[in-house]
Amino acid sequence: MVGKAEPVNGSVKPGSSQSIPAAMQGPLKKPDLIPNLSLKTLKLKTKQQELLIRVSILCLVYVLAFITRLFSVLRYESMIHEFDPYFNYRTTLFLTEKGFYEFWNWFDSESWYPLGRIIGGTLYPGLMVTAAIIYWLLRFLRFAIHIREVCVLTAPFFASNTTLVAYFFGKEVWDSGAGLVAAALIAICPGYISRSVAGSYDNEGVAIFALLLTFYLFVKAVNTGSLAWALASAFGYFYMVSAWGGYVFIINLIPLYVLVLLITGRYSVRLYVAYNSMYVLGMLLAMQIRFVGFQHVQSGEHMAAMGVFFLLQVFFFLDWVKHLLSDTKLFQAFLRITVTTAIGVGAIALGVGTASGYISPWTGRFYSLLDPTYAKDHIPIIASVSEHQPTAWSSFMFDFHILLFLFPAGLYFCFKRLTDATIFIVMYGLTSMYFAGVMVRLILVATPAVCLISAIAVSATIKNLTLVARAKNKVTQTGSARGSSSSKGSSKASLDQSQPFQRNGAIALLFGAFYLLSKYATHCTWVTSEAYSSPSIVLAARGAHGNRVIFDDYREAYFWLRKNTPPDAKVMSWWDYGYQITAMGNRTVIVDNNTWNNTHIATVGRAMSSYENEAYEIMRSLDVDYVLVVFGGVTGYSSDDINKFLWMVRIGGGVFPVIKEPDYLVNGEYRVDKGAAPKMLNCLMYKLSYYRFGELTTEYGKPPGYDRARGVEIGNKDIKLEYLEEAFTTSNWIVRIYKVKPPNNRW
Amino acid sequence: MRSKPETQSHTAATEPLSSTSMDPIFPLLRILPFGFLRPPKLRLKLPTLTLPSPMTVYALVLLTYFMVVSGIVYDVIVEPPGIGSTQDRATGSVRPVVFLPGRVNGQYIVEGLSSGFMFVLGGVGVVLMDLALDRNRAKSVKVSYATAGIASVVIAYVMSMLFIRIKIPAYLR
């Protein structure tokens, strides 16, 4: 090797390894070989370098999306959060223990006593089946893992997968740079993190992945016109239907998109193939889910898809006739008649269907998206959920930060370069932003669109800036081929005299863009850590000396229920806690979070807001053994039952007119102190919350019976319970359980 | 298929008006009301609907975005006051409060509109920067676009940060 050093150097690389002087080849044989080899192996071609960069970025983004969601697991423990995930956990447990057949035909008598609930037919099984499959897969590989760990970590896993789908989607809509930025943005965007932290085992964690996958496959099908992609998108749609009730968004957005394409004159056979295959197969697959049933042909919310399906057939027919006819005038006449007839027949069919009742009208949940004032006036249960409130600007800012600036800019770039794919992403962005404005919870659905469009803005802007920054001095060179070819016909050639100024300006702007994006990352991490990582079942507060105090009262109470009550005891509480009581306390409840029976909930609401003797009658009729209330007066916890009490009154009053809301208010104001309404001071909820509270001193310097959540001293301190007795109060008085006494003996 | 050219020649001879009509009801209409009624000679033209240009649509979209992001749905449903007020305890004078304190998901009307304006300003700034780079315009116009764009983005970002810090005092701490 020593003798052949020069020819070896010369043949392999003409210019690179000149750093090794030929004179030093002799004594330094071995060290020379190593730099030679490393330089040779590291010198990749540009395409390979690009591939390496892309793959490493995607790997890092994948890992980042997973680990940023683990705050609560590290701070507390690996447990399920909130209320709804407990139901999902219970059903997944049932599925893994009893098998799919039992799960699909399950009738649960432990909730909604005495009605029971057909669980197999009233849930979306996608999430449970997904978690069960992952569990069985891990078990098959001999990882002895508990199903709870799988449930807790399902959402972050699917969030990581969503970033991959976002990359491919961005690549389809714009280019691979935009795809990479989209993946990075969506990995940490707080709008998505809020519903997919570790522990939030809810439908949305899986559904957003399914949504983006369906959209990506459909756009790919429209772009390529291939039957395979269209059928794949139908299967993606099936997964979405099995996962979340929000599939209605897909089945309305895609027909709307097809309609916009038709109006803008972009009809093509690709669109025809894509939509038809996806609609027909998707509809047939969606009917396999019992909860959805025949809604695709019977419900008003799904009629748009059917209408567009028939319209597309008309378009294809007209195209075929035009192709056969040679006379344009005749064809115009034929066109007018056919379109009029088609629309007329469609309208008549829709009218007949709606009038005869076969096509059901829009359900309240979705109708309130079109007319936001509807829920407030007509359906108090929908209006009472805090996630269903309309969105204020600060919620947008909290969940999106920089993306709110980049969204209009991205829309501009999309409008500049209109293709089938960019029209889709624009429509997705606009409709989802409108719905996000109507309901806070739907910021989640808007997040992928906002991230993708902002990624387009970021990618296009940075590309422009780097082109300016990299523009070499090409005043004398005719080799400006690189400059003109990369600028895509737009002339940046006139930069001659102010060249260094332009370059410095572009570099400064690049630093500015980098600064903004790093502030975005800081914001997202802060929001995730402070706001979205609390398992609502465990509360934390700052103690007097700044140390963290943990309140684990909920689980304490449910465990007490599980161990100290008879197995067939029935527990009455407000519907918020139903799922948790059934899952952790393992006892039958009267109402739970499913809220499918408004009258039953109104009965419980009536019981809570009546005097003790009337409530006792209702409780005897429902076979209630225990009553559970949540009280935040000692800890200052503000989401307790006294603060929710007015909703109990409204919902109860909606069905039983004997409950009137003004009875509980004083001058329209809701008070619990001495000046409160007498009905309020003696109703069951008040008594159960404040029993024995009048003797307790909660804060230094305040009188006994000072309610820290409302900030007042309570009005009625001397409470005597006649028909109930106190069974258990947790250590911080957050959950209080009372036993219903059996009726007195007659003599 | 073959009969169509024949009918065309028939109807073309008898129809001095617009295009040939395959409408089956038209001959009946010619007899029944219009046998004795004479329609006046109007010079009406059906308005031709043309699709608006993409940039027009973009302008409308920007306006809608401004309204949605300012929380107009929240304003319509919850009906908050335009601007809040508190009473100074010592002097008894009523001071205006611009930002609704205490909650993330609550606003007064004016604070929503001003924040929405800042967001749109930031977006327009990025658009102006792109216009400055990518057009074959006069140099002075490009420079003014670039400065306006950069200034807009900087102002919008700084103001938005200020707003959110006022609204949520514990922000980033």
Side-chain angles (χ1 to χ4, degrees):
Chain A
M1 277 312 271
V2 180
K4 293 202 188 98
E6 284 185 42
V8 166
N9 282 344
S11 60
V12 170
K13 252 155 272 310
S16 68
S17 44
Q18 299 299 337
S19 54
I20 306 168
M24 292 177 61
Q25 294 293 332
L28 298 170
K29 190 165 82 166
K30 281 197 172 62
D32 282 347
L33 275 180
I34 295 168
N36 246 341
L37 278 174
S38 57
L39 277 171
K40 257 194 276 183
T41 49
L42 281 182
K43 192 73 177 179
L44 302 167
K45 296 197 273 287
T46 316
K47 260 206 176 337
Q48 289 171 323
Q49 279 177 343
E50 197 234 347
L51 183 67
L52 179 66
I53 292 178
R54 266 196 291 143
V55 169
S56 53
I57 289 180
L58 279 177
C59 286
L60 286 174
V61 163
Y62 193 90
V63 172
L64 175 68
F66 192 85
I67 60 180
T68 190
R69 289 161 164 84
L70 293 180
F71 274 102
S72 72
V73 173
L74 295 172
R75 280 186 190 152
Y76 304 97
E77 63 178 277
S78 157
M79 68 177 142
I80 313 265
H81 298 191
E82 302 262 328
F83 302 114
D84 279 356
Y86 274 98
F87 171 71
N88 298 331
Y89 172 61
R90 181 167 160 248
T91 48
T92 314
L93 201 57
F94 190 87
L95 171 61
T96 52
E97 282 170 1
K98 305 270 189 349
F100 188 73
Y101 194 70
E102 291 294 320
F103 169 77
W104 204 229
N105 293 304
W106 186 14
F107 178 82
D108 182 30
S109 44
E110 278 194 28
S111 54
W112 295 92
Y113 184 85
L115 304 165
R117 179 185 169 182
I118 309 171
I119 290 196
T122 56
L123 60 49
Y124 287 104
L127 175 69
M128 298 87 186
V129 171
T130 309
I133 287 178
I134 297 177
Y135 172 74
W136 285 324
L137 192 68
L138 288 173
R139 284 253 152 187
F140 177 73
L141 297 173
R142 303 293 179 255
F143 286 109
I145 207 169
H146 192 272
I147 181 71
R148 191 189 65 240
E149 318 298 340
V150 175
C151 291
V152 163
L153 294 176
T154 297
F157 173 61
F158 272 89
S160 302
N161 296 342
T162 306
T163 61
L164 288 184
V165 178
Y167 163 69
F168 286 112
F169 202 174
K171 203 163 107 152
E172 190 66 30
V173 173
W174 200 255
D175 63 13
S176 65
L180 286 173
V181 178
L185 290 178
I186 207 174
I188 50 175
C189 188
Y192 185 24
I193 288 186
S194 63
R195 303 291 297 202
S196 68
V197 278
S200 174
Y201 181 56
D202 210 353
N203 299 53
E204 289 95 345
V206 174
I208 295 296
F209 168 74
L211 180 93
L212 209 56
L213 185 71
T214 310
F215 283 153
Y216 163 62
L217 293 172
F218 184 70
V219 169
K220 188 98 184 164
V222 171
N223 271 346
T224 58
S226 132
L227 187 63
W229 286 110
L231 295 178
S233 80
F235 278 99
Y237 177 63
F238 170 58
Y239 188 38
M240 179 71 188
V241 170
S242 73
W244 195 32
Y247 74 90
V248 176
F249 180 64
I250 298 188
I251 202 66
N252 280 308
L253 178 65
I254 288 189
L256 195 64
Y257 166 63
V258 172
L259 209 57
V260 167
L261 282 188
L262 293 179
I263 291 176
T264 54
R266 285 172 183 269
Y267 170 77
S268 60
V269 178
R270 295 176 283 119
L271 178 67
Y272 181 77
V273 168
Y275 183 68
N276 280 339
S277 326
M278 190 241 174
Y279 179 62
V280 172
L281 187 62
M283 184 169 72
L284 288 174
L285 286 173
M287 293 192 200
Q288 308 309 307
I289 309 290
R290 282 167 66 190
F291 196 25
V292 173
F294 288 116
Q295 278 184 9
H296 276 70
V297 290
Q298 279 181 343
S299 159
E301 296 145 7
H302 303 75
M303 285 301 114
M306 190 180 283
V308 169
F309 175 68
F310 287 121
L311 188 66
L312 211 54
Q313 310 309 316
V314 171
F315 257 77
F316 188 78
F317 175 62
L318 288 174
D319 217 29
W320 178 63
V321 168
K322 188 172 181 177
H323 173 70
L324 288 174
L325 277 185
S326 46
D327 192 339
T328 49
K329 272 196 162 186
L330 200 58
F331 174 70
Q332 292 291 340
F334 179 67
L335 174 70
R336 275 204 309 247
I337 292 176
T338 314
V339 173
T340 329
T341 320
I343 294 181
V345 167
I348 291 176
L350 190 67
V352 166
T354 316
S356 70
Y358 183 73
I359 298 180
S360 56
W362 281 60
T363 57
R365 266 201 326 165
F366 295 114
Y367 185 71
S368 64
L369 288 179
L370 295 181
D371 176 13
T373 57
Y374 177 74
K376 191 166 82 147
D377 299 330
H378 298 268
I379 315 177
I381 278 197
I382 296 182
S384 73
V385 183
S386 68
E387 312 175 299
H388 291 182
Q389 303 309 312
T391 322
W393 74 271
S394 38
S395 294
F396 278 122
M397 184 71 184
F398 222 55
D399 283 340
F400 288 137
H401 200 247
I402 292 284
L403 305 185
L404 284 175
F405 302 146
L406 298 172
F407 183 72
L411 286 178
Y412 163 76
F413 284 108
C414 287
F415 272 100
K416 240 176 54 161
R417 197 215 284 187
L418 276 182
T419 63
D420 288 350
T422 51
I423 291 184
F424 179 80
I425 199 71
V426 164
M427 291 200 58
Y428 176 27
L430 292 176
T431 48
S432 58
M433 274 303 267
Y434 167 68
F435 289 130
V438 173
M439 204 185 263
V440 175
R441 183 181 180 183
L442 294 180
I443 285 186
L444 170 76
V445 177
T447 302
V450 170
C451 286
L452 276 165
I453 295 183
S454 312
I456 291 177
V458 169
S459 177
T461 309
I462 290 190
K463 213 173 213 173
N464 289 344
L465 288 175
T466 46
L467 279 175
V468 173
R470 289 180 60 179
K472 306 242 190 287
N473 272 328
K474 44 192 195 302
V475 181
T476 52
Q477 287 165 346
T478 51
S480 58
R482 190 205 281 175
S484 55
S485 64
S486 58
S487 60
K488 290 197 185 75
S490 66
S491 66
K492 297 188 179 56
S494 57
L495 316 159
D496 306 345
Q497 52 270 52
S498 52
Q499 195 81 12
F501 175 70
Q502 295 260 1
R503 277 193 66 204
N504 292 340
I507 292 176
L509 284 179
L510 276 175
F511 273 113
F514 179 68
Y515 170 75
L516 280 183
L517 289 172
S518 63
K519 293 303 271 183
Y520 169 71
T522 316
H523 167 91
C524 292
T525 318
W526 182 84
V527 167
T528 310
S529 157
E530 294 300 313
Y532 290 143
S533 294
S534 81
S536 312
I537 197 166
V538 171
L539 312 164
R542 294 243 163 256
H545 306 284
N547 57 324
R548 218 158 56 114
V549 182
I550 305 262
F551 301 122
D552 207 1
D553 287 43
Y554 280 101
R555 294 196 292 172
E556 187 186 339
Y558 300 140
F559 197 64
W560 184 91
L561 263 184
R562 195 189 188 105
K563 293 287 179 187
N564 294 296
T565 57
D568 62 348
K570 290 143 195 86
V571 181
M572 181 173 93
S573 70
W574 192 233
W575 58 262
D576 284 348
Y577 317 108
Y579 280 155
Q580 286 180 342
I581 296 176
T582 329
M584 278 192 277
N586 203 20
R587 293 288 175 265
T588 310
V589 289
I590 307 290
V591 288
D592 68 16
N593 307 57
N594 192 28
T595 67
W596 66 270
N597 191 333
N598 194 31
T599 311
H600 217 50
I601 297 181
T603 313
V604 171
R606 181 184 174 189
M608 293 293 193
S609 29
S610 313
Y611 294 122
E612 199 185 342
N613 44 358
E614 298 160 3
Y616 185 66
E617 293 304 317
I618 299 175
M619 289 194 284
R620 291 295 307 157
S621 76
L622 289 173
D623 281 352
V624 174
D625 296 311
Y626 290 90
V627 182
L628 185 145
V629 295
V630 169
F631 171 59
V634 175
T635 49
Y637 177 51
S638 57
S639 302
D640 63 351
D641 279 355
I642 290 284
N643 276 346
K644 290 181 197 164
F645 181 63
L646 277 184
W647 285 110
M648 300 185 198
V649 170
R650 281 178 199 137
I651 294 174
V655 177
F656 302 104
V658 67
I659 309 280
K660 297 189 250 310
E661 191 180 340
D663 287 346
Y664 301 87
L665 303 173
V666 171
N667 291 336
E669 206 187 316
Y670 179 58
R671 297 168 65 169
V672 294
D673 53 2
K674 277 218 170 351
K679 183 127 198 212
M680 177 72 206
L681 290 177
N682 288 303
C683 68
L684 184 71
M685 176 55 71
Y686 188 93
K687 282 188 165 180
L688 294 183
S689 296
Y690 292 121
Y691 182 66
R692 287 192 309 117
F693 184 64
E695 308 143 16
L696 190 70
T697 310
T698 52
E699 210 171 302
Y700 180 70
K702 294 277 194 308
Y706 180 74
D707 183 345
R708 290 178 72 189
R710 260 66 54 184
V712 294
E713 184 186 347
I714 62 170
N716 185 2
K717 292 191 194 177
D718 188 24
I719 296 176
K720 303 250 182 311
L721 289 174
E722 191 184 338
Y723 297 101
L724 297 104
E725 59 184 8
E726 187 180 0
F728 183 67
T729 299
T730 56
S731 45
N732 294 300
W733 287 55
I734 291 188
V735 181
R736 312 194 65 181
I737 303 180
Y738 293 84
K739 185 168 159 55
V740 177
K741 289 199 242 186
N744 286 327
N745 288 327
R746 269 177 233 202
W747 308 113
Chain B
M1 286 307 227
R2 267 190 240 131
S3 60
K4 286 195 182 100
E6 295 166 24
T7 52
Q8 179 209 0
S9 55
H10 274 267
T11 47
T14 52
E15 268 304 322
L17 291 176
S18 56
S19 55
T20 60
S21 177
M22 290 162 41
D23 195 343
I25 310 183
F26 189 75
L28 292 167
L29 281 179
R30 273 202 306 148
I31 300 174
L32 210 50
F34 295 117
F36 42 90
L37 288 175
R38 230 174 3 141
K41 287 223 189 308
L42 298 169
R43 281 181 192 80
L44 287 176
K45 273 184 65 152
L46 274 179
T48 46
L49 297 161
T50 51
L51 288 176
S53 83
M55 286 305 142
T56 321
V57 179
Y58 176 65
L60 285 173
V61 160
L62 213 54
L63 189 64
T64 325
Y65 176 71
F66 167 65
M67 294 198 321
V68 168
V69 137
S70 311
I72 200 171
V73 183
Y74 182 91
D75 296 338
V76 166
I77 294 191
V78 176
E79 289 170 17
I83 200 164
S85 58
T86 98
Q87 199 163 30
D88 197 36
R89 241 167 257 204
T91 61
S93 63
V94 177
R95 281 183 301 131
V97 170
V98 183
F99 290 95
L100 179 70
R103 295 172 16 218
V104 174
N105 196 34
Q107 65 175 37
Y108 295 126
I109 300 185
V110 164
E111 82 174 89
L113 288 172
S114 41
S115 314
F117 173 70
M118 284 305 151
F119 300 146
V120 172
L121 188 67
V124 164
V126 180
V127 170
L128 282 175
M129 278 177 15
D130 177 72
L131 280 177
L133 281 178
D134 243 5
R135 281 303 173 87
N136 219 349
R137 293 198 163 139
K139 183 99 182 334
S140 59
V141 175
K142 281 178 24 170
V143 167
S144 57
Y145 273 176
T147 36
I150 296 171
S152 301
V153 172
V154 168
I155 290 178
Y157 177 70
V158 166
M159 293 302 285
S160 300
M161 284 295 113
L162 184 66
F163 285 170
I164 196 93
R165 252 177 247 277
I166 298 177
K167 176 117 180 151
I168 305 172
Y171 182 65
L172 276 184
R173 218 154 293 148

